[in-house]
Amino acid sequence: MNSRINEIIEYKTDGNRTDFAAKMGWSRQYLSKLLRGEANGIAPVRSILTTFPDIDARWLLLGEGKMIRKH
């Protein structure tokens, strides 16, 4: 899932992790831990899906389908 979060960061903030962390209400350190696999759980997934409702949950969780949901 870390690689998919990186894809979201690239898509939403042109790869700027500081901007992404700010959009999410996370510290830069928390985002770094999440990307290294040192932080996990459902909370960051829920936050991403709440903040960016166009992100497909199945893609984020399982890597199936496309990143952006069709409306």
Side-chain angles (χ1 to χ4, degrees):
M1 189 166 69
N2 299 358
S3 64
R4 291 186 294 282
I5 293 173
N6 272 317
E7 286 184 55
I8 296 168
I9 293 169
E10 187 63 37
Y11 179 72
K12 294 294 184 177
T13 62
D14 292 324
N16 188 315
R17 290 181 177 183
T18 301
D19 285 352
F20 185 81
K23 285 180 188 265
M24 296 303 302
W26 298 339
S27 69
R28 176 78 165 90
Q29 294 81 5
Y30 177 75
L31 178 58
S32 293
K33 284 183 177 184
L34 186 64
L35 293 173
R36 288 192 307 265
E38 296 171 8
N40 54 33
I42 196 68
V45 172
R46 288 186 63 163
S47 293
I48 290 170
L49 296 175
T50 300
T51 303
F52 304 115
D54 58 330
I55 300 296
D56 185 88
R58 188 168 191 84
W59 174 83
L60 179 58
L61 291 168
L62 304 173
E64 297 175 359
K66 299 198 182 270
M67 177 171 58
I68 303 302
R69 289 185 322 129
K70 292 183 180 181
H71 296 279

